[in-house]
Amino acid sequence: MDWDKLRIFHAVADAGSLTHAGDRLNLSQSAVSRQIRGLEESLAATLFHRHARGLILTEQGELLFDATSAMTKRLDAAAARIRDSEEEVFGDLRVTTTTGFGTLWLAPRLPKLYAKHPDLRVDLMLEERVLDLPMREADVAIRMKEPSQADLIRKKLMTVKMCLFASSTYLNSEGTPSSLDDLKDHRLICQNIDSAQVGASVSLVQELLTHEVSSMLTVNNYFGVLQGVLHNLGIGVLPDYLANDFPDLMRVLPEVESTDIPVFLAYPEELRHSKRISAFRDFVQEEILLYRKQLKSKQKP
């Protein structure tokens, strides 16, 4: 098959329009149309259904689009490796992690990464869905469980526990619970157990709900839970690492906590020698070492 025709087909399928694809490719609509027609003739197949609002892929078109998408991601990976300098760190780095960890731990620390590598361009993708690293949906991931794919390099960064926190203002006003049964006198703030999150957090919330909690606020991410706690709405279920960055958070019922949640950094084997990946990996590891030192200094009598 003609590589140029495949490139144009991919752009049309992605845009859903000959005109929009032509704009992206700097080609006229008629030139794009001729290339698509030529590809359909060479395959003896119809790739698009035409209608007033644009183009829809046929079943054969879907098959070809899956193939060109995989090819594009592989080519992007190869181009990224070629662009990596032997000594300099620059270019695009797509980082994926959960909304909670990304907004509450990672993003506030990124100024240090940019200070060291100002030519790096980070695309931070925060979502609970696990993106496919080998298929180049992202370059590097920080995940709350060990990745299962065999073709990934992975490194355990730390462990996290979900704990109960409240603001000092809230506790001074409403009192500090001394047992789980006292939760009936407080508002519990947590993630909805039906939202995407780690199992250890769900298990802890389910246990708490067996103690006749009278009032609740549920949010679909930990950033929202934190805002509720900081604004004195109640007692929240939050990751333990937040205590270091938010001095107003007070641990409540310290014996109540989830099981350990492992935090892993992972990236594709093919990016092993990427300077961008190395720079990000080293930055995260340095920040975790600093975090551990700060914790130890606070625990000293």
Side-chain angles (χ1 to χ4, degrees), residues 4-298:
D4 200 45
K5 286 185 174 64
L6 289 175
R7 177 178 66 89
I8 293 171
F9 161 79
H10 183 81
V12 173
D14 190 49
S17 161
L18 294 173
T19 303
H20 292 157
D23 291 341
R24 292 184 188 178
L25 299 168
N26 199 25
L27 294 172
S28 67
Q29 179 179 339
S30 59
V32 173
S33 181
R34 282 195 303 272
Q35 294 292 327
I36 295 299
R37 195 161 52 246
L39 181 60
E40 288 181 324
E41 288 173 358
S42 69
L43 293 172
T46 300
L47 300 175
F48 293 99
H49 293 302
R50 279 98 174 151
H51 65 89
R53 291 175 295 175
L55 301 174
I56 298 176
L57 287 166
T58 63
E59 184 177 352
Q60 292 87 347
E62 291 279 6
L63 287 172
L64 188 58
F65 186 54
D66 287 344
T68 58
S69 296
M71 288 163 52
T72 299
K73 288 172 182 175
R74 287 293 182 183
L75 288 170
D76 287 345
R81 290 185 62 183
I82 292 168
R83 286 195 304 266
D84 273 336
S85 166
E86 288 299 316
E87 297 179 358
E88 299 179 25
V89 177
F90 67 95
D92 299 320
L93 180 68
R94 296 172 298 166
V95 179
T96 179
T97 188
T98 62
T99 303
F101 192 84
T103 56
L104 301 177
W105 193 91
L106 182 58
R109 290 168 168 79
L110 285 179
K112 294 182 182 179
L113 178 65
Y114 279 110
K116 189 177 289 187
H117 305 292
D119 296 325
L120 196 61
R121 297 188 299 271
V122 176
D123 180 10
L124 196 55
M125 297 179 283
L126 306 181
E127 54 182 294
E128 308 311 311
R129 182 174 69 92
V130 176
L131 299 187
D132 193 326
L133 298 183
M135 288 301 293
R136 303 293 289 128
E137 288 188 323
D139 299 314
V140 59
I142 297 177
R143 294 179 176 170
M144 303 301 118
K145 63 178 181 179
E146 184 171 5
S148 58
Q149 291 167 299
D151 48 355
L152 294 179
I153 296 173
R154 78 238 22 225
K155 179 176 179 56
K156 186 176 179 181
L157 298 172
M158 62 180 181
T159 58
V160 172
K161 289 180 184 288
M162 303 303 297
C163 308
L164 292 175
F165 290 98
S167 69
S168 55
T169 300
Y170 175 85
L171 294 177
N172 289 335
S173 170
E174 304 298 328
T176 302
S178 57
S179 70
L180 283 173
D181 289 336
D182 292 340
L183 289 179
K184 67 180 183 298
D185 301 320
H186 297 270
R187 180 176 297 108
L188 181 67
I189 310 172
C190 60
Q191 271 200 268
N192 188 313
I193 58 174
D194 294 325
S195 62
Q197 58 183 305
V198 294
S201 178
V202 173
S203 297
L204 177 59
V205 171
Q206 288 175 331
E207 178 188 347
L208 296 175
L209 293 180
T210 64
H211 291 270
E212 298 183 5
V213 175
S214 59
S215 179
M216 287 188 69
L217 169 66
T218 57
V219 192
N220 66 345
N221 62 63
Y222 293 127
F223 182 76
V225 175
L226 175 64
Q227 293 305 305
V229 172
L230 292 178
H231 286 82
N232 314 314
L233 277 173
I235 297 172
V237 179
L238 288 165
D240 56 3
Y241 58 75
L242 292 179
N244 198 51
D245 295 337
F246 295 88
D248 191 47
L249 288 181
M250 301 290 114
R251 184 82 181 264
V252 176
L253 300 174
E255 72 279 6
V256 178
E257 59 186 19
S258 73
T259 56
D260 286 347
I261 302 166
V263 180
F264 282 86
L265 183 139
Y267 52 93
E269 175 76 33
E270 64 193 36
L271 294 180
R272 173 186 291 274
H273 301 294
S274 166
K275 295 298 179 184
R276 294 166 297 122
I277 296 288
S278 298
F280 181 77
R281 179 196 62 213
D282 293 346
F283 151 72
V284 171
Q285 289 178 328
E286 288 167 7
E287 286 303 304
I288 287 175
L289 283 175
L290 178 60
Y291 162 73
R292 287 173 175 161
K293 288 179 181 177
Q294 292 169 339
L295 281 184
K296 285 183 179 179
S297 66
K298 285 185 176 181

